[in-house]
Structure formats: C-alpha cells, structure tokens
C-alpha cells in the first residue's frame, strides 16, 4: 500500500494493466471498464472492503509510478527478453492518459 492513504498500489496496477490489455485508453475508459466488470473483478481480486479503486485513484497511483520499473516488471512477467540493442519503452503519455486527440 502507498504510505498513509490505504491505497493498494498492486491492485491499481493490476487493474490498469488488465484494462489496457482489454483495449481501454484513457482514465475515463478505464473507469467505465471498471464499472462494467466490477462484480467479476471483485470476485477475482477480493479487494479490501469489497471495493475497487476508482479511476481517479488509479490515476494518482500511475502518476507516481516509475515507468521503467513497471515496464521491466511486465517484461519479466511475460517472459520478454529484448534482443541485443533493442530498446524497451512505454509511452508515458499513454500511461498517464494525458494525450487526447481533439479531432
């Protein structure tokens, strides 16, 4: 948990990763996805107090995230080994949801 606020950072990251893998982009889309699959996600993760974090909470966790560590953790989980000279990157704008097309 993040110090002092009771937020389960691991749960937020797991939900974010699943939402992105399901094709959701941006925090509002993630919030809608959380609402749509609320019961299934609660059953899967059994969160404290039977509640999922809101998209605002997930956003706050992501804004404090070390993206290089997150990228490395995902690569380890999925067994991705970069080829020599290959660069691994995650676009922070996509992760932060700050990029929105206006057209």
């Amino acid at each position: 948990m993040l110090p002092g606020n009771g937020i389960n950072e691991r749960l937020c990251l797991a939900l974010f990763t699943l939402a992105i893998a399901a094709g959701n982009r941006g925090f509002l889309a993630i919030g809608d996805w959380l609402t749509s699959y609320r019961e299934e996600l609660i059953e899967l993760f059994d969160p404290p107090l039977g509640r999922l974090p809101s998209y605002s909470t997930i956003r706050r966790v992501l804004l404090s995230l070390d993206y290089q560590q997150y990228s490395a953790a995902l690569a380890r989980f999925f067994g991705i080994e970069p080829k020599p000279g290959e660069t691994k990157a995650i676009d922070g704008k996509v992760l932060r949801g700050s990029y929105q097309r206006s057209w």
Side-chain angles (χ1 to χ4, degrees):
M1 291 198 185
L2 295 177
N5 59 13
I7 296 172
N8 186 325
E9 185 178 39
R10 290 180 183 174
L11 177 58
C12 288
L13 292 176
L15 292 170
F16 167 74
T17 303
L18 288 173
I20 293 298
N24 296 282
R25 299 294 180 262
F27 294 109
L28 293 177
I30 291 170
D32 289 344
W33 183 82
L34 290 172
T35 300
S36 296
Y37 291 95
R38 181 183 171 280
E39 292 177 20
E40 292 89 343
L41 293 167
I42 288 173
E43 184 178 328
L44 178 66
F45 288 105
D46 191 26
L49 305 175
R51 296 186 324 211
L52 296 176
S54 68
Y55 83 94
S56 296
T57 300
I58 293 172
R59 181 179 184 276
R60 283 192 300 274
V61 168
L62 291 174
L63 291 174
S64 67
L65 183 66
D66 179 325
Y67 296 107
Q68 288 181 346
Q69 286 183 344
Y70 176 70
S71 176
L74 285 179
R76 282 191 307 275
F77 179 80
F78 289 111
I80 299 170
E81 291 294 327
K83 295 178 183 178
E86 180 182 15
T87 302
K88 293 187 300 181
I90 294 180
D91 184 352
K93 288 182 222 145
V94 172
L95 289 177
R96 292 175 190 254
S98 63
Y99 178 74
Q100 299 289 331
R101 286 190 173 196
S102 58
W103 63 94

